[in-house]
Amino acid sequence: MATEAAGEIKVGAKPTMHYVLATVIQFNQGIKRVHIKARGRAISKAVDAAQITVSRFLKDKVEIKDVKIGSEEVGEPGKTRTVSTIEIVLEQTEK
Amino acid sequence: MATEAAGEIKVGAKPTMHYVLATVIQFNQGIKRVHIKARGRAISKAVDAAQITVSRFLKDKVEIKDVKIGSEEVGEPGKTRTVSTIEIVLEQTEK
C-alpha cells in the first residue's frame, strides 16, 4: 500500500537541506514517488534539493522521472501577478 | 535551412525580459528550437523567461518541449562546487 503512494514536498523559504531531508524521509518510509514543487525564486532551490537527493543521498535508488514548468496567478483579486512554477517528480528506481 | 537550426540562450544576471526578447528574436528569425539554459540562482529566471515567451509573446506559436535538470562542477581545481542546471527546450508548434 505505502509503496504506491506519492508524496509532495513544497519548497519555500527554509534551507535547501530541509527539503532534501524531507524528501529522503518520504522515500525511506516506502513512498515510491515524490513531487517536489516550488514557485518563483524557490524554483532554483527545488532543483538543488532534487539534485542533492538523487546524486548524493539516494544515488542509484531514486531518479528524476519528470520536470514540468508552468505558471500560476497569485495575490488578492484585483492585484494578481503571475509566478512561474516547477514540479520535479522523483521516483524509486528499484521495485 | 534556417528553420532546422537550434538556438541557445544562456540566462545570467540581466533582467528576465532581456532573455525573453532574445528568445523571441531567434524564433522570429526562423529558428525552430531554442534551448534556454541556466545555472544556480538564474534557474528561476530561466523558467520565468520561458513561461513569458510561450504564454505571452509567442502564445500558440511556441511550446515547451522538454525540461531537463542536472548539475555541474564549477570553480577552480581544488575548490570546485556543484551547481544545479536547467535546460528548457522551446519549439515552434507550427511547421
Side-chain angles (χ1 to χ4, degrees), chain A residues 2-3 5 7 9 20-34 53 56-59 61-62 90-92 94:
Chain A
T3 57
I9 304 287
V20 173
L21 293 179
T23 306
V24 171
I25 287 168
Q26 293 210 353
F27 279 116
N28 285 344
Q29 285 171 342
I31 290 180
K32 193 178 184 315
R33 190 183 301 116
V34 174
T53 301
R56 207 189 305 168
F57 287 90
L58 295 173
K59 198 170 161 69
K61 289 182 185 156
V62 164
L90 303 188
E91 205 173 276
Q92 280 187 34
E94 52 188 5

Side-chain angles (χ1 to χ4, degrees), chain A residues 9-51:
Chain A
I9 304 287
K10 284 192 177 153
V11 176
K14 290 176 186 165
T16 306
M17 215 41 84
H18 172 89
Y19 304 105
V20 173
L21 293 179
T23 306
V24 171
I25 287 168
Q26 293 210 353
F27 279 116
N28 285 344
Q29 285 171 342
I31 290 180
K32 193 178 184 315
R33 190 183 301 116
V34 174
H35 298 246
I36 298 176
K37 296 182 176 184
R39 304 196 298 195
R41 285 168 170 276
I43 287 175
S44 307
K45 196 185 288 180
V47 176
D48 284 342
Q51 283 296 322

Side-chain angles (χ1 to χ4, degrees), chain A residues 32-91:
Chain A
K32 193 178 184 315
R33 190 183 301 116
V34 174
H35 298 246
I36 298 176
K37 296 182 176 184
R39 304 196 298 195
R41 285 168 170 276
I43 287 175
S44 307
K45 196 185 288 180
V47 176
D48 284 342
Q51 283 296 322
I52 293 169
T53 301
V54 302
S55 63
R56 207 189 305 168
F57 287 90
L58 295 173
K59 198 170 161 69
D60 303 326
K61 289 182 185 156
V62 164
E63 62 185 0
I64 292 164
K65 202 70 184 176
D66 196 17
V67 183
K68 281 172 272 194
I69 61 174
S71 50
E72 267 176 30
E73 297 288 322
V74 296
E76 294 163 29
K79 47 176 185 175
T80 59
R81 60 198 173 81
T82 307
V83 292
S84 296
T85 60
I86 197 165
E87 181 174 347
I88 304 166
V89 183
L90 303 188
E91 205 173 276

Side-chain angles (χ1 to χ4, degrees), chain B residues 76-89:
Chain B
E76 294 163 27
K79 48 176 185 175
T80 59
R81 61 197 173 82
T82 306
V83 293
S84 297
T85 61
I86 197 166
E87 181 174 347
I88 304 166
V89 183

